[in-house]
Amino acid sequence: MSAAPRETHFGERKVRLDEKQRLVDEVFHKVADRYDLMNDLMSFGLHRVWKDILVAKLRPPRNRPFAHLDVAGGTGDVAFRVAEAGGELTEVTALDVNGEMLRVGRERAQRRRDGGHVSFIEGNAESLPLPDDAFDGYTIAFGIRNVPDIGKALAEAFRVLKRGGRFLCLEFSRADTPVLDRLYDAYSFAAIPAIGKVVTGDGRPYRYLVESIRQFPPPDLFEEMIADCGFARASFTRLSGGIVAIHSGWKL
Ligand SMILES: C[S@@+](CC[C@H](N)C(=O)[O-])C[C@H]1O[C@@H](n2cnc3c(N)ncnc32)[C@H](O)[C@@H]1O
């Protein structure tokens, strides 16, 4: 008897694991050109602060070479911050499965002074086209909840990091208090798809983004998943009343 296909969530829908990536790709294909503007509108610019805090935790050194990988790097928002914080000796690879998001990222790189320190490559977080033990740092921001098999992505993160390398993940989480949680829910489900419809002409991709936040494991469970993949000192920090969390682990 053949085993039942593994299932996961695509927003509130249950889908086969091998179906999810195509659906996710369609979402980001549609939103790529308005992605950065929408991020500012949806989060009132807060995503910039969260990304700054992520990079401050990474603290790329300015006095020695630092090889960094930003997975699900999209339009390069985190990659550019790491390049700027690290300076001349930092080289950043931004990897994403979606060619459209990468195209926007490459266009941005051309307009930046430090753009030469960021390279954009197409690839899947679940099977990175990169060698073992190659990177000092790995970040993934608002990306991992879109990946069909999160365990595979974590195992790949562990594989490509050098000993002493750090894994950092910025992801939506659960608000700390029931009141904030209800307010956040109301805003997310009512306002975000509506803003998406006005700005991009289609609210559905944004409904998926909101629903997918709800399906992502709570931070303590995700912390266990990170530790189970071999990362040492797995921990997380809640930001903005728990709306997002930064998860950390070390390959020691
Ligand atoms: C919400 S965006 C985040 C982009 C960027 N990290 C940021 O914070 O602005 C999610 C990104 O994950 C990418 N993605 C989805 N599944 C992926 C996978 N399996 N491997 C790599 N990237 C993936 C999407 O193409 C999209 O660019």
Side-chain angles (χ1 to χ4, degrees), residues 21 24-25 28 35-36 39 47 51 70-78 95-98 101 123-126 140-148 170 209:
Q21 191 68 62
V24 168
D25 289 350
F28 289 103
Y35 178 78
D36 293 316
N39 264 353
H47 75 106
K51 287 168 181 165
D70 181 48
V71 171
T75 61
D77 247 18
V78 171
L95 175 140
D96 201 283
V97 78
N98 194 305
M101 295 290 277
N124 193 319
E126 292 178 4
I140 182 162
F142 306 118
I144 204 146
R145 72 177 194 283
N146 298 294
V147 174
L170 170 62
L209 291 178

PDB file of all heavy atoms in Angstrom, residues 21 24-25 28 35-36 39 47 51 70-78 95-98 101 123-126 140-148 170 209, ligand 1:
ATOM      1  N   GLN A  21       4.748  24.728  -3.424  1.00  0.00           N
ATOM      2  CA  GLN A  21       5.734  25.662  -3.973  1.00  0.00           C
ATOM      3  C   GLN A  21       5.203  26.409  -5.196  1.00  0.00           C
ATOM      4  O   GLN A  21       5.405  27.617  -5.329  1.00  0.00           O
ATOM      5  CB  GLN A  21       7.026  24.910  -4.336  1.00  0.00           C
ATOM      6  CG  GLN A  21       8.185  25.850  -4.650  1.00  0.00           C
ATOM      7  CD  GLN A  21       8.679  26.618  -3.419  1.00  0.00           C
ATOM      8  OE1 GLN A  21       9.137  26.027  -2.459  1.00  0.00           O
ATOM      9  NE2 GLN A  21       8.584  27.946  -3.446  1.00  0.00           N
ATOM     10  N   VAL A  24       2.884  29.132  -4.019  1.00  0.00           N
ATOM     11  CA  VAL A  24       3.648  30.231  -3.411  1.00  0.00           C
ATOM     12  C   VAL A  24       4.329  31.054  -4.512  1.00  0.00           C
ATOM     13  O   VAL A  24       4.318  32.291  -4.486  1.00  0.00           O
ATOM     14  CB  VAL A  24       4.692  29.670  -2.410  1.00  0.00           C
ATOM     15  CG1 VAL A  24       5.686  30.744  -1.994  1.00  0.00           C
ATOM     16  CG2 VAL A  24       4.003  29.095  -1.178  1.00  0.00           C
ATOM     17  N   ASP A  25       4.890  30.358  -5.493  1.00  0.00           N
ATOM     18  CA  ASP A  25       5.586  31.061  -6.584  1.00  0.00           C
ATOM     19  C   ASP A  25       4.635  32.001  -7.321  1.00  0.00           C
ATOM     20  O   ASP A  25       5.005  33.108  -7.689  1.00  0.00           O
ATOM     21  CB  ASP A  25       6.194  30.067  -7.579  1.00  0.00           C
ATOM     22  CG  ASP A  25       7.381  29.336  -6.979  1.00  0.00           C
ATOM     23  OD1 ASP A  25       7.839  29.735  -5.886  1.00  0.00           O
ATOM     24  OD2 ASP A  25       7.846  28.356  -7.594  1.00  0.00           O
ATOM     25  N   PHE A  28       4.222  35.284  -5.318  1.00  0.00           N
ATOM     26  CA  PHE A  28       5.332  36.245  -5.371  1.00  0.00           C
ATOM     27  C   PHE A  28       5.615  36.730  -6.792  1.00  0.00           C
ATOM     28  O   PHE A  28       6.133  37.827  -6.984  1.00  0.00           O
ATOM     29  CB  PHE A  28       6.558  35.675  -4.665  1.00  0.00           C
ATOM     30  CG  PHE A  28       6.353  35.638  -3.185  1.00  0.00           C
ATOM     31  CD1 PHE A  28       6.052  34.459  -2.526  1.00  0.00           C
ATOM     32  CD2 PHE A  28       6.368  36.808  -2.445  1.00  0.00           C
ATOM     33  CE1 PHE A  28       5.797  34.435  -1.166  1.00  0.00           C
ATOM     34  CE2 PHE A  28       6.113  36.807  -1.082  1.00  0.00           C
ATOM     35  CZ  PHE A  28       5.830  35.616  -0.445  1.00  0.00           C
ATOM     36  N   TYR A  35       6.157  44.656  -4.269  1.00  0.00           N
ATOM     37  CA  TYR A  35       6.451  44.007  -2.993  1.00  0.00           C
ATOM     38  C   TYR A  35       6.989  45.008  -1.949  1.00  0.00           C
ATOM     39  O   TYR A  35       6.513  45.056  -0.816  1.00  0.00           O
ATOM     40  CB  TYR A  35       7.437  42.848  -3.206  1.00  0.00           C
ATOM     41  CG  TYR A  35       7.804  42.175  -1.921  1.00  0.00           C
ATOM     42  CD1 TYR A  35       6.950  41.273  -1.307  1.00  0.00           C
ATOM     43  CD2 TYR A  35       8.991  42.480  -1.261  1.00  0.00           C
ATOM     44  CE1 TYR A  35       7.247  40.697  -0.096  1.00  0.00           C
ATOM     45  CE2 TYR A  35       9.310  41.906  -0.046  1.00  0.00           C
ATOM     46  CZ  TYR A  35       8.433  41.019   0.524  1.00  0.00           C
ATOM     47  OH  TYR A  35       8.740  40.457   1.736  1.00  0.00           O
ATOM     48  N   ASP A  36       7.966  45.810  -2.347  1.00  0.00           N
ATOM     49  CA  ASP A  36       8.606  46.702  -1.372  1.00  0.00           C
ATOM     50  C   ASP A  36       7.633  47.780  -0.881  1.00  0.00           C
ATOM     51  O   ASP A  36       7.559  48.050   0.314  1.00  0.00           O
ATOM     52  CB  ASP A  36       9.863  47.344  -1.980  1.00  0.00           C
ATOM     53  CG  ASP A  36      10.943  46.299  -2.239  1.00  0.00           C
ATOM     54  OD1 ASP A  36      11.165  45.452  -1.358  1.00  0.00           O
ATOM     55  OD2 ASP A  36      11.532  46.304  -3.334  1.00  0.00           O
ATOM     56  N   ASN A  39       5.143  46.203   1.519  1.00  0.00           N
ATOM     57  CA  ASN A  39       5.734  45.947   2.840  1.00  0.00           C
ATOM     58  C   ASN A  39       5.651  47.188   3.713  1.00  0.00           C
ATOM     59  O   ASN A  39       5.317  47.118   4.890  1.00  0.00           O
ATOM     60  CB  ASN A  39       7.211  45.561   2.692  1.00  0.00           C
ATOM     61  CG  ASN A  39       7.390  44.063   2.688  1.00  0.00           C
ATOM     62  OD1 ASN A  39       6.442  43.323   2.919  1.00  0.00           O
ATOM     63  ND2 ASN A  39       8.598  43.611   2.438  1.00  0.00           N
ATOM     64  N   HIS A  47       8.629  46.892   9.097  1.00  0.00           N
ATOM     65  CA  HIS A  47       9.486  45.794   8.614  1.00  0.00           C
ATOM     66  C   HIS A  47      10.938  46.260   8.496  1.00  0.00           C
ATOM     67  O   HIS A  47      11.866  45.477   8.672  1.00  0.00           O
ATOM     68  CB  HIS A  47       8.978  45.241   7.271  1.00  0.00           C
ATOM     69  CG  HIS A  47       9.254  46.128   6.100  1.00  0.00           C
ATOM     70  ND1 HIS A  47      10.224  45.852   5.163  1.00  0.00           N
ATOM     71  CD2 HIS A  47       8.716  47.317   5.727  1.00  0.00           C
ATOM     72  CE1 HIS A  47      10.242  46.817   4.263  1.00  0.00           C
ATOM     73  NE2 HIS A  47       9.342  47.710   4.569  1.00  0.00           N
ATOM     74  N   LYS A  51      14.039  44.356  10.327  1.00  0.00           N
ATOM     75  CA  LYS A  51      15.196  43.885   9.539  1.00  0.00           C
ATOM     76  C   LYS A  51      16.491  44.496  10.085  1.00  0.00           C
ATOM     77  O   LYS A  51      17.530  43.834  10.122  1.00  0.00           O
ATOM     78  CB  LYS A  51      15.003  44.217   8.056  1.00  0.00           C
ATOM     79  CG  LYS A  51      13.960  43.323   7.397  1.00  0.00           C
ATOM     80  CD  LYS A  51      13.551  43.819   6.017  1.00  0.00           C
ATOM     81  CE  LYS A  51      12.482  42.908   5.410  1.00  0.00           C
ATOM     82  NZ  LYS A  51      11.805  43.511   4.258  1.00  0.00           N
ATOM     83  N   ASP A  70      21.610  34.980   2.439  1.00  0.00           N
ATOM     84  CA  ASP A  70      20.250  35.389   2.816  1.00  0.00           C
ATOM     85  C   ASP A  70      19.270  34.598   1.956  1.00  0.00           C
ATOM     86  O   ASP A  70      19.189  34.810   0.738  1.00  0.00           O
ATOM     87  CB  ASP A  70      20.061  36.896   2.609  1.00  0.00           C
ATOM     88  CG  ASP A  70      18.659  37.334   3.021  1.00  0.00           C
ATOM     89  OD1 ASP A  70      18.223  36.939   4.123  1.00  0.00           O
ATOM     90  OD2 ASP A  70      17.996  38.028   2.229  1.00  0.00           O
ATOM     91  N   VAL A  71      18.576  33.675   2.584  1.00  0.00           N
ATOM     92  CA  VAL A  71      17.679  32.776   1.844  1.00  0.00           C
ATOM     93  C   VAL A  71      16.270  33.363   1.806  1.00  0.00           C
ATOM     94  O   VAL A  71      15.845  34.039   2.754  1.00  0.00           O
ATOM     95  CB  VAL A  71      17.719  31.368   2.474  1.00  0.00           C
ATOM     96  CG1 VAL A  71      16.641  30.469   1.884  1.00  0.00           C
ATOM     97  CG2 VAL A  71      19.090  30.758   2.251  1.00  0.00           C
ATOM     98  N   ALA A  72      15.567  33.074   0.703  1.00  0.00           N
ATOM     99  CA  ALA A  72      14.266  33.701   0.438  1.00  0.00           C
ATOM    100  C   ALA A  72      14.478  35.214   0.439  1.00  0.00           C
ATOM    101  O   ALA A  72      13.675  35.985   0.970  1.00  0.00           O
ATOM    102  CB  ALA A  72      13.204  33.275   1.456  1.00  0.00           C
ATOM    103  N   GLY A  73      15.583  35.607  -0.153  1.00  0.00           N
ATOM    104  CA  GLY A  73      16.068  36.988  -0.079  1.00  0.00           C
ATOM    105  C   GLY A  73      15.219  37.973  -0.851  1.00  0.00           C
ATOM    106  O   GLY A  73      15.353  39.186  -0.666  1.00  0.00           O
ATOM    107  N   GLY A  74      14.347  37.483  -1.740  1.00  0.00           N
ATOM    108  CA  GLY A  74      13.404  38.345  -2.446  1.00  0.00           C
ATOM    109  C   GLY A  74      14.095  39.498  -3.146  1.00  0.00           C
ATOM    110  O   GLY A  74      15.015  39.311  -3.953  1.00  0.00           O
ATOM    111  N   THR A  75      13.688  40.712  -2.816  1.00  0.00           N
ATOM    112  CA  THR A  75      14.195  41.898  -3.505  1.00  0.00           C
ATOM    113  C   THR A  75      15.455  42.463  -2.832  1.00  0.00           C
ATOM    114  O   THR A  75      15.864  43.575  -3.130  1.00  0.00           O
ATOM    115  CB  THR A  75      13.101  42.981  -3.570  1.00  0.00           C
ATOM    116  OG1 THR A  75      12.755  43.318  -2.214  1.00  0.00           O
ATOM    117  CG2 THR A  75      11.864  42.499  -4.292  1.00  0.00           C
ATOM    118  N   GLY A  76      16.022  41.706  -1.914  1.00  0.00           N
ATOM    119  CA  GLY A  76      17.346  42.055  -1.386  1.00  0.00           C
ATOM    120  C   GLY A  76      17.375  42.899  -0.131  1.00  0.00           C
ATOM    121  O   GLY A  76      18.452  43.303   0.319  1.00  0.00           O
ATOM    122  N   ASP A  77      16.213  43.141   0.464  1.00  0.00           N
ATOM    123  CA  ASP A  77      16.155  44.036   1.624  1.00  0.00           C
ATOM    124  C   ASP A  77      17.139  43.682   2.733  1.00  0.00           C
ATOM    125  O   ASP A  77      17.818  44.563   3.271  1.00  0.00           O
ATOM    126  CB  ASP A  77      14.738  43.973   2.224  1.00  0.00           C
ATOM    127  CG  ASP A  77      14.005  45.279   2.055  1.00  0.00           C
ATOM    128  OD1 ASP A  77      14.434  46.085   1.213  1.00  0.00           O
ATOM    129  OD2 ASP A  77      13.013  45.486   2.776  1.00  0.00           O
ATOM    130  N   VAL A  78      17.212  42.407   3.105  1.00  0.00           N
ATOM    131  CA  VAL A  78      18.121  42.002   4.181  1.00  0.00           C
ATOM    132  C   VAL A  78      19.552  41.945   3.647  1.00  0.00           C
ATOM    133  O   VAL A  78      20.501  42.399   4.304  1.00  0.00           O
ATOM    134  CB  VAL A  78      17.688  40.641   4.788  1.00  0.00           C
ATOM    135  CG1 VAL A  78      18.740  40.107   5.746  1.00  0.00           C
ATOM    136  CG2 VAL A  78      16.345  40.792   5.487  1.00  0.00           C
ATOM    137  N   LEU A  95      19.531  34.409  -2.084  1.00  0.00           N
ATOM    138  CA  LEU A  95      18.980  33.284  -2.853  1.00  0.00           C
ATOM    139  C   LEU A  95      17.462  33.303  -2.746  1.00  0.00           C
ATOM    140  O   LEU A  95      16.911  33.528  -1.669  1.00  0.00           O
ATOM    141  CB  LEU A  95      19.531  31.983  -2.278  1.00  0.00           C
ATOM    142  CG  LEU A  95      18.972  30.683  -2.876  1.00  0.00           C
ATOM    143  CD1 LEU A  95      20.087  29.655  -3.046  1.00  0.00           C
ATOM    144  CD2 LEU A  95      17.828  30.123  -2.038  1.00  0.00           C
ATOM    145  N   ASP A  96      16.811  33.072  -3.875  1.00  0.00           N
ATOM    146  CA  ASP A  96      15.350  33.007  -3.864  1.00  0.00           C
ATOM    147  C   ASP A  96      14.899  32.062  -4.974  1.00  0.00           C
ATOM    148  O   ASP A  96      15.585  31.893  -5.986  1.00  0.00           O
ATOM    149  CB  ASP A  96      14.742  34.405  -4.088  1.00  0.00           C
ATOM    150  CG  ASP A  96      13.301  34.494  -3.602  1.00  0.00           C
ATOM    151  OD1 ASP A  96      12.402  33.989  -4.316  1.00  0.00           O
ATOM    152  OD2 ASP A  96      13.076  35.048  -2.508  1.00  0.00           O
ATOM    153  N   VAL A  97      13.740  31.465  -4.759  1.00  0.00           N
ATOM    154  CA  VAL A  97      13.223  30.506  -5.732  1.00  0.00           C
ATOM    155  C   VAL A  97      12.500  31.233  -6.874  1.00  0.00           C
ATOM    156  O   VAL A  97      12.206  30.636  -7.899  1.00  0.00           O
ATOM    157  CB  VAL A  97      12.280  29.508  -4.992  1.00  0.00           C
ATOM    158  CG1 VAL A  97      10.922  30.118  -4.723  1.00  0.00           C
ATOM    159  CG2 VAL A  97      12.181  28.179  -5.672  1.00  0.00           C
ATOM    160  N   ASN A  98      12.247  32.527  -6.689  1.00  0.00           N
ATOM    161  CA  ASN A  98      11.392  33.245  -7.624  1.00  0.00           C
ATOM    162  C   ASN A  98      12.184  34.266  -8.451  1.00  0.00           C
ATOM    163  O   ASN A  98      12.698  35.263  -7.925  1.00  0.00           O
ATOM    164  CB  ASN A  98      10.294  33.965  -6.816  1.00  0.00           C
ATOM    165  CG  ASN A  98       9.175  34.452  -7.692  1.00  0.00           C
ATOM    166  OD1 ASN A  98       9.401  35.188  -8.648  1.00  0.00           O
ATOM    167  ND2 ASN A  98       7.966  34.045  -7.380  1.00  0.00           N
ATOM    168  N   MET A 101      11.181  38.106  -8.185  1.00  0.00           N
ATOM    169  CA  MET A 101      11.658  38.809  -6.990  1.00  0.00           C
ATOM    170  C   MET A 101      13.149  39.117  -7.163  1.00  0.00           C
ATOM    171  O   MET A 101      13.610  40.223  -6.839  1.00  0.00           O
ATOM    172  CB  MET A 101      11.430  37.963  -5.732  1.00  0.00           C
ATOM    173  CG  MET A 101       9.974  37.712  -5.395  1.00  0.00           C
ATOM    174  SD  MET A 101       9.088  39.178  -4.830  1.00  0.00           S
ATOM    175  CE  MET A 101       9.531  39.231  -3.102  1.00  0.00           C
ATOM    176  N   GLY A 123      17.386  29.598  -6.435  1.00  0.00           N
ATOM    177  CA  GLY A 123      17.552  28.295  -5.800  1.00  0.00           C
ATOM    178  C   GLY A 123      16.470  28.098  -4.760  1.00  0.00           C
ATOM    179  O   GLY A 123      15.743  29.032  -4.411  1.00  0.00           O
ATOM    180  N   ASN A 124      16.396  26.859  -4.296  1.00  0.00           N
ATOM    181  CA  ASN A 124      15.354  26.490  -3.348  1.00  0.00           C
ATOM    182  C   ASN A 124      15.956  26.274  -1.959  1.00  0.00           C
ATOM    183  O   ASN A 124      16.967  25.575  -1.828  1.00  0.00           O
ATOM    184  CB  ASN A 124      14.700  25.197  -3.847  1.00  0.00           C
ATOM    185  CG  ASN A 124      13.405  24.909  -3.120  1.00  0.00           C
ATOM    186  OD1 ASN A 124      13.316  25.086  -1.897  1.00  0.00           O
ATOM    187  ND2 ASN A 124      12.413  24.492  -3.860  1.00  0.00           N
ATOM    188  N   ALA A 125      15.319  26.857  -0.947  1.00  0.00           N
ATOM    189  CA  ALA A 125      15.807  26.725   0.435  1.00  0.00           C
ATOM    190  C   ALA A 125      15.911  25.270   0.861  1.00  0.00           C
ATOM    191  O   ALA A 125      16.708  24.923   1.734  1.00  0.00           O
ATOM    192  CB  ALA A 125      14.846  27.455   1.371  1.00  0.00           C
ATOM    193  N   GLU A 126      15.108  24.394   0.247  1.00  0.00           N
ATOM    194  CA  GLU A 126      15.101  22.978   0.635  1.00  0.00           C
ATOM    195  C   GLU A 126      16.264  22.206   0.043  1.00  0.00           C
ATOM    196  O   GLU A 126      16.543  21.083   0.478  1.00  0.00           O
ATOM    197  CB  GLU A 126      13.802  22.317   0.166  1.00  0.00           C
ATOM    198  CG  GLU A 126      12.580  22.808   0.875  1.00  0.00           C
ATOM    199  CD  GLU A 126      11.315  22.148   0.336  1.00  0.00           C
ATOM    200  OE1 GLU A 126      11.409  21.259  -0.542  1.00  0.00           O
ATOM    201  OE2 GLU A 126      10.237  22.543   0.789  1.00  0.00           O
ATOM    202  N   ILE A 140      17.072  34.301   7.095  1.00  0.00           N
ATOM    203  CA  ILE A 140      15.861  34.096   6.292  1.00  0.00           C
ATOM    204  C   ILE A 140      14.782  34.965   6.938  1.00  0.00           C
ATOM    205  O   ILE A 140      14.486  34.821   8.122  1.00  0.00           O
ATOM    206  CB  ILE A 140      15.488  32.594   6.179  1.00  0.00           C
ATOM    207  CG1 ILE A 140      14.242  32.394   5.304  1.00  0.00           C
ATOM    208  CG2 ILE A 140      15.310  31.916   7.540  1.00  0.00           C
ATOM    209  CD1 ILE A 140      14.074  30.945   4.806  1.00  0.00           C
ATOM    210  N   ALA A 141      14.272  35.918   6.173  1.00  0.00           N
ATOM    211  CA  ALA A 141      13.306  36.876   6.732  1.00  0.00           C
ATOM    212  C   ALA A 141      11.969  36.726   6.030  1.00  0.00           C
ATOM    213  O   ALA A 141      11.893  36.859   4.802  1.00  0.00           O
ATOM    214  CB  ALA A 141      13.825  38.308   6.570  1.00  0.00           C
ATOM    215  N   PHE A 142      10.950  36.448   6.786  1.00  0.00           N
ATOM    216  CA  PHE A 142       9.594  36.286   6.262  1.00  0.00           C
ATOM    217  C   PHE A 142       9.570  35.304   5.099  1.00  0.00           C
ATOM    218  O   PHE A 142       8.771  35.444   4.167  1.00  0.00           O
ATOM    219  CB  PHE A 142       9.001  37.649   5.846  1.00  0.00           C
ATOM    220  CG  PHE A 142       9.048  38.656   6.958  1.00  0.00           C
ATOM    221  CD1 PHE A 142       9.781  39.835   6.841  1.00  0.00           C
ATOM    222  CD2 PHE A 142       8.386  38.411   8.155  1.00  0.00           C
ATOM    223  CE1 PHE A 142       9.843  40.754   7.892  1.00  0.00           C
ATOM    224  CE2 PHE A 142       8.438  39.322   9.208  1.00  0.00           C
ATOM    225  CZ  PHE A 142       9.164  40.494   9.079  1.00  0.00           C
ATOM    226  N   GLY A 143      10.456  34.328   5.167  1.00  0.00           N
ATOM    227  CA  GLY A 143      10.583  33.371   4.065  1.00  0.00           C
ATOM    228  C   GLY A 143      10.206  31.962   4.467  1.00  0.00           C
ATOM    229  O   GLY A 143       9.559  31.242   3.705  1.00  0.00           O
ATOM    230  N   ILE A 144      10.566  31.555   5.680  1.00  0.00           N
ATOM    231  CA  ILE A 144      10.501  30.125   5.989  1.00  0.00           C
ATOM    232  C   ILE A 144       9.068  29.604   6.033  1.00  0.00           C
ATOM    233  O   ILE A 144       8.815  28.450   5.726  1.00  0.00           O
ATOM    234  CB  ILE A 144      11.296  29.792   7.274  1.00  0.00           C
ATOM    235  CG1 ILE A 144      11.701  28.309   7.241  1.00  0.00           C
ATOM    236  CG2 ILE A 144      10.533  30.145   8.552  1.00  0.00           C
ATOM    237  CD1 ILE A 144      13.027  28.011   7.865  1.00  0.00           C
ATOM    238  N   ARG A 145       8.106  30.475   6.347  1.00  0.00           N
ATOM    239  CA  ARG A 145       6.734  29.965   6.405  1.00  0.00           C
ATOM    240  C   ARG A 145       6.188  29.662   5.004  1.00  0.00           C
ATOM    241  O   ARG A 145       5.162  29.003   4.863  1.00  0.00           O
ATOM    242  CB  ARG A 145       5.808  30.922   7.153  1.00  0.00           C
ATOM    243  CG  ARG A 145       5.482  32.172   6.409  1.00  0.00           C
ATOM    244  CD  ARG A 145       4.505  33.047   7.172  1.00  0.00           C
ATOM    245  NE  ARG A 145       3.959  34.062   6.312  1.00  0.00           N
ATOM    246  CZ  ARG A 145       4.614  35.170   5.950  1.00  0.00           C
ATOM    247  NH1 ARG A 145       5.830  35.399   6.391  1.00  0.00           N
ATOM    248  NH2 ARG A 145       4.051  36.047   5.137  1.00  0.00           N
ATOM    249  N   ASN A 146       6.884  30.150   3.982  1.00  0.00           N
ATOM    250  CA  ASN A 146       6.460  29.860   2.609  1.00  0.00           C
ATOM    251  C   ASN A 146       7.059  28.565   2.075  1.00  0.00           C
ATOM    252  O   ASN A 146       6.667  28.082   1.021  1.00  0.00           O
ATOM    253  CB  ASN A 146       6.900  30.998   1.672  1.00  0.00           C
ATOM    254  CG  ASN A 146       6.247  32.303   2.052  1.00  0.00           C
ATOM    255  OD1 ASN A 146       5.034  32.434   1.936  1.00  0.00           O
ATOM    256  ND2 ASN A 146       7.029  33.263   2.534  1.00  0.00           N
ATOM    257  N   VAL A 147       8.054  28.051   2.770  1.00  0.00           N
ATOM    258  CA  VAL A 147       8.765  26.861   2.275  1.00  0.00           C
ATOM    259  C   VAL A 147       7.953  25.617   2.638  1.00  0.00           C
ATOM    260  O   VAL A 147       7.582  25.445   3.798  1.00  0.00           O
ATOM    261  CB  VAL A 147      10.175  26.805   2.919  1.00  0.00           C
ATOM    262  CG1 VAL A 147      10.893  25.525   2.547  1.00  0.00           C
ATOM    263  CG2 VAL A 147      10.992  28.030   2.521  1.00  0.00           C
ATOM    264  N   PRO A 148       7.679  24.743   1.669  1.00  0.00           N
ATOM    265  CA  PRO A 148       6.828  23.587   1.971  1.00  0.00           C
ATOM    266  C   PRO A 148       7.379  22.696   3.083  1.00  0.00           C
ATOM    267  O   PRO A 148       6.664  22.339   4.003  1.00  0.00           O
ATOM    268  CB  PRO A 148       6.760  22.832   0.632  1.00  0.00           C
ATOM    269  CG  PRO A 148       7.008  23.885  -0.406  1.00  0.00           C
ATOM    270  CD  PRO A 148       7.937  24.874   0.224  1.00  0.00           C
ATOM    271  N   LEU A 170      13.868  35.714  10.834  1.00  0.00           N
ATOM    272  CA  LEU A 170      12.854  36.701  11.223  1.00  0.00           C
ATOM    273  C   LEU A 170      11.521  36.241  10.639  1.00  0.00           C
ATOM    274  O   LEU A 170      11.442  36.001   9.430  1.00  0.00           O
ATOM    275  CB  LEU A 170      13.257  38.070  10.653  1.00  0.00           C
ATOM    276  CG  LEU A 170      12.254  39.221  10.717  1.00  0.00           C
ATOM    277  CD1 LEU A 170      11.905  39.583  12.151  1.00  0.00           C
ATOM    278  CD2 LEU A 170      12.842  40.457  10.006  1.00  0.00           C
ATOM    279  N   LEU A 209      -0.862  35.554   2.351  1.00  0.00           N
ATOM    280  CA  LEU A 209       0.230  35.961   3.257  1.00  0.00           C
ATOM    281  C   LEU A 209      -0.264  36.030   4.703  1.00  0.00           C
ATOM    282  O   LEU A 209       0.396  35.566   5.618  1.00  0.00           O
ATOM    283  CB  LEU A 209       0.814  37.309   2.831  1.00  0.00           C
ATOM    284  CG  LEU A 209       1.588  37.272   1.513  1.00  0.00           C
ATOM    285  CD1 LEU A 209       2.095  38.658   1.143  1.00  0.00           C
ATOM    286  CD2 LEU A 209       2.764  36.314   1.596  1.00  0.00           C
TER     287      LEU A 209
HETATM  288  C1  LIG B   1       7.635  37.477   2.069  1.00  0.00           C
HETATM  289  S1  LIG B   1       8.959  37.323   0.909  1.00  0.00           S
HETATM  290  C2  LIG B   1      10.361  37.819   1.856  1.00  0.00           C
HETATM  291  C3  LIG B   1      11.429  38.508   1.048  1.00  0.00           C
HETATM  292  C4  LIG B   1      12.546  39.152   1.861  1.00  0.00           C
HETATM  293  N1  LIG B   1      13.253  38.176   2.666  1.00  0.00           N
HETATM  294  C5  LIG B   1      12.034  40.267   2.743  1.00  0.00           C
HETATM  295  O1  LIG B   1      12.014  40.090   3.966  1.00  0.00           O
HETATM  296  O2  LIG B   1      11.645  41.302   2.224  1.00  0.00           O
HETATM  297  C6  LIG B   1       9.143  35.570   0.818  1.00  0.00           C
HETATM  298  C7  LIG B   1      10.131  35.110  -0.223  1.00  0.00           C
HETATM  299  O3  LIG B   1      10.317  33.694  -0.065  1.00  0.00           O
HETATM  300  C8  LIG B   1      10.587  33.170  -1.346  1.00  0.00           C
HETATM  301  N2  LIG B   1      10.451  31.701  -1.300  1.00  0.00           N
HETATM  302  C9  LIG B   1       9.300  30.984  -1.188  1.00  0.00           C
HETATM  303  N3  LIG B   1       9.585  29.678  -1.182  1.00  0.00           N
HETATM  304  C10 LIG B   1      10.935  29.554  -1.282  1.00  0.00           C
HETATM  305  C11 LIG B   1      11.826  28.453  -1.330  1.00  0.00           C
HETATM  306  N4  LIG B   1      11.375  27.200  -1.256  1.00  0.00           N
HETATM  307  N5  LIG B   1      13.152  28.699  -1.435  1.00  0.00           N
HETATM  308  C12 LIG B   1      13.619  29.967  -1.513  1.00  0.00           C
HETATM  309  N6  LIG B   1      12.828  31.049  -1.493  1.00  0.00           N
HETATM  310  C13 LIG B   1      11.494  30.853  -1.367  1.00  0.00           C
HETATM  311  C14 LIG B   1       9.579  33.885  -2.219  1.00  0.00           C
HETATM  312  O4  LIG B   1       9.865  33.770  -3.585  1.00  0.00           O
HETATM  313  C15 LIG B   1       9.674  35.297  -1.667  1.00  0.00           C
HETATM  314  O5  LIG B   1      10.620  36.062  -2.360  1.00  0.00           O
END
